[in-house]
Amino acid sequence: MNAVGIDISKGKSMVAALRPMGEVAFLPREFLHTGVGLEQMAYAIIALGEDTRVIMESTGRYHEPVAAALHEYGIYVCVLNPLLIKQSGGGSIRKVKTDKADAMKIAKYGLDNWADLREYTPMDTVRQQLKLCSRQYDLYMKTVVSLQNNLISLTDKTFPGVNELFSSPERADGHQKWVDFAMTFWHCDCICRVSEKAFTERYRKWCKRKGYHFSAEKASDLYASSCGHFTTLPKNENTKLLIVTAAQQLLAGKATLAALRAEMTRLASQLPEYETVRAMYGVGEITAAQLMAEIGDVRRFPRRSSIVGFAGVDPGVDESGKHSAKSVPTTKRGSPHLRKTLYQIVCTYLKKSPADEPVYQFLDKKRAEGKPYFVYMTAAQNKFLRIYYARVKECLEAFDAQQDISQG
């Protein structure tokens, strides 16, 4: 048994190997994350013998090239949550923090938990691209919300309530009518200082140019809404620059989101479980893609409780001696992106109240028992994940069986 511990850092890794009884099989040595460096690392590990397993921590993007390269050489690789290594303690009460000590600590954990190590399986290209798009979508969504709040704050100083004048839904390309309107009519004086007839004609031409529906009645309402406001920013070039620039940035962000949504749907539809996930109640195009991106292939989870623990929606345990806590928060050890998506789906159950859906029945049961809001919402997320696991796993197994028949 050779347990190889790799302490990953940016651009380089420290590698060490241990055998049972504390025998050092490979003294700590540094390898660069280059083609030559990873090749040298792989050959050094292969030289240890057949019964060798490599253990490394999941460190964002830094561990991915190392794990993928070693996997291609046929080496058994296990990628662990860093919390497991931290909690193991390393068998010493002294606090030593160096790359060499960390590599030995990881190797020791591998020996102590040899039977429980699970082999790393690299994500296929489509799933990897889908996950990257989903993470970028979340990032840009936060930016767009911030930009939208900023534009509303600015227009409250020049045209209060302009964001509430239109109810048109957002277009597929990300354009929103009130944002386009605020970019052109960036101050209420742009409207109220001309006659209603002149504004109506200008508004008609604007609707035709932008591709929006024109209504004379709506033009009259807009003209009336622009009058009587007390503005704190004057109608000058400086104010126009602030409003127009903020609107342009918001539209650019919304256009990016629209492009990412289309790409996520395209990638997700290529996966065999897409239709099964979309058929689940409360799951839309975006939430389906986000679920599939964050969970990945469900077959990597040995049981339903594993996927629940991965999401971090499993209840914690707080017991010691005679003490037993009645209310314990969830572990929240998994993906926060997945928990956010699950929360959005369960909110749909809560809003629509589908009486024939098992997830809502379970939610309603917990609510009737007097459980707090976050308790029954988390319980519903737990229930949804278990159903998701069963249905998607069955779908993937059927897909694999069909592939085997067609190839056979």
Side-chain angles (χ1 to χ4, degrees):
M1 291 166 53
N2 299 295
V4 181
I6 301 182
D7 182 62
I8 308 287
S9 57
K10 185 176 181 180
K12 61 181 181 179
S13 292
M14 185 65 68
V15 181
L18 289 177
R19 293 191 178 115
M21 308 302 293
E23 180 186 352
V24 178
F26 190 89
L27 289 173
R29 181 180 168 188
E30 190 175 271
F31 294 90
L32 297 177
H33 293 178
T34 61
V36 175
L38 292 175
E39 182 180 10
Q40 292 175 346
M41 181 193 299
Y43 283 133
I45 294 172
I46 292 172
L48 293 173
E50 293 185 0
D51 199 9
T52 300
R53 295 185 179 183
V54 173
I55 304 93
M56 66 182 69
E57 297 176 325
S58 176
T59 53
R61 296 286 176 261
Y62 297 152
H63 79 278
E64 291 179 352
V66 181
L70 296 181
H71 183 80
E72 288 182 0
Y73 279 93
I75 299 172
Y76 190 108
V77 180
C78 177
V79 181
L80 297 174
N81 190 319
L83 185 65
L84 295 174
I85 307 298
K86 182 179 179 181
Q87 290 179 339
S88 67
S92 174
I93 61 173
R94 296 182 62 218
K95 186 177 181 180
V96 180
K97 184 70 177 73
T98 64
D99 290 347
K100 293 181 179 180
D102 288 345
M104 297 292 283
K105 182 179 179 180
I106 295 171
K108 184 178 185 304
Y109 179 91
L111 281 179
D112 295 340
N113 300 271
W114 187 269
D116 298 326
L117 298 178
R118 287 187 295 175
E119 188 171 7
Y120 161 83
T121 54
M123 207 180 302
D124 61 77
T125 305
V126 175
R127 292 188 187 278
Q128 188 176 24
Q129 290 177 340
L130 180 60
K131 186 172 183 179
L132 287 173
C133 284
S134 177
R135 294 294 177 89
Q136 290 298 301
Y137 181 84
D138 285 342
L139 174 65
Y140 283 111
M141 178 61 76
K142 294 177 182 178
T143 304
V144 165
V145 170
S146 177
L147 289 171
Q148 181 166 291
N149 290 338
N150 175 61
L151 180 59
I152 293 173
S153 176
L154 288 173
T155 54
D156 281 344
K157 301 175 184 294
T158 61
F159 197 155
V162 67
N163 58 300
E164 300 173 355
L165 296 179
F166 301 96
S167 58
S168 303
E170 184 178 316
R171 288 177 170 178
D173 59 359
H175 277 259
Q176 206 166 355
K177 192 172 183 179
W178 82 266
V179 181
D180 285 331
F181 183 84
M183 189 183 298
T184 303
F185 303 96
W186 48 272
H187 201 285
C188 60
D189 287 349
C190 295
I191 301 174
C192 65
R193 287 192 178 182
V194 300
S195 66
E196 184 175 346
K197 182 179 179 180
F199 168 72
T200 302
E201 179 62 19
R202 188 182 177 191
Y203 177 68
R204 183 188 66 79
K205 292 180 179 179
W206 177 83
C207 288
K208 182 179 180 180
R209 187 170 67 254
K210 295 292 185 179
Y212 292 112
H213 173 71
F214 170 74
S215 168
E217 183 181 352
K218 184 63 177 179
S220 179
D221 290 341
L222 291 173
Y223 188 83
S225 300
S226 68
C227 300
H229 291 299
F230 180 82
T231 58
T232 55
L233 286 178
K235 182 176 178 292
N236 58 27
E237 289 302 317
N238 176 264
T239 302
K240 181 180 179 180
L241 175 66
L242 293 174
I243 300 296
V244 172
T245 303
Q248 288 174 341
Q249 292 299 313
L250 177 58
L251 288 176
K254 285 181 173 290
T256 302
L257 285 181
L260 285 172
R261 279 195 295 267
E263 181 64 10
M264 287 167 63
T265 302
R266 185 189 71 82
L267 291 171
S269 61
Q270 298 178 28
L271 299 175
E273 72 268 28
Y274 178 69
E275 295 300 332
T276 301
V277 177
R278 282 288 283 117
M280 298 182 70
Y281 188 90
V283 180
E285 281 190 356
I286 298 303
T287 48
Q290 290 174 323
L291 275 176
M292 296 163 64
E294 293 299 329
I295 294 175
D297 192 337
V298 297
R299 291 170 294 187
R300 65 195 180 104
F301 300 103
R303 58 190 71 86
R304 289 177 297 178
S305 58
S306 301
I307 193 173
V308 172
F310 171 77
V313 294
D314 53 328
V317 180
D318 184 10
E319 294 181 358
S320 179
K322 296 182 179 180
H323 168 75
S324 179
K326 295 182 179 180
S327 180
V328 182
T330 54
T331 58
K332 290 188 177 181
R333 293 296 191 192
S335 169
H337 303 278
L338 177 56
R339 286 197 296 274
K340 179 182 177 181
T341 304
L342 290 171
Y343 180 79
Q344 292 172 341
I345 294 172
V346 173
C347 282
T348 304
Y349 280 94
L350 194 62
K351 183 178 180 180
K352 300 294 184 179
S353 303
D356 57 338
E357 286 291 328
V359 174
Y360 178 74
Q361 292 171 357
F362 186 70
L363 183 152
D364 197 42
K365 175 186 174 183
K366 293 298 179 181
R367 184 169 54 179
E369 292 174 357
K371 301 293 185 182
Y373 174 80
F374 283 109
V375 172
Y376 64 73
M377 289 293 283
T378 305
Q381 295 172 42
N382 191 314
K383 180 75 171 179
F384 177 86
L385 261 186
R386 291 173 181 271
I387 296 174
Y388 177 96
Y389 178 80
R391 292 183 183 178
V392 174
K393 187 176 182 180
E394 181 182 5
C395 171
L396 292 176
E397 290 175 349
F399 177 79
D400 288 343
Q402 186 177 3
Q403 291 290 102
D404 293 340
I405 293 174
S406 62
Q407 293 175 0

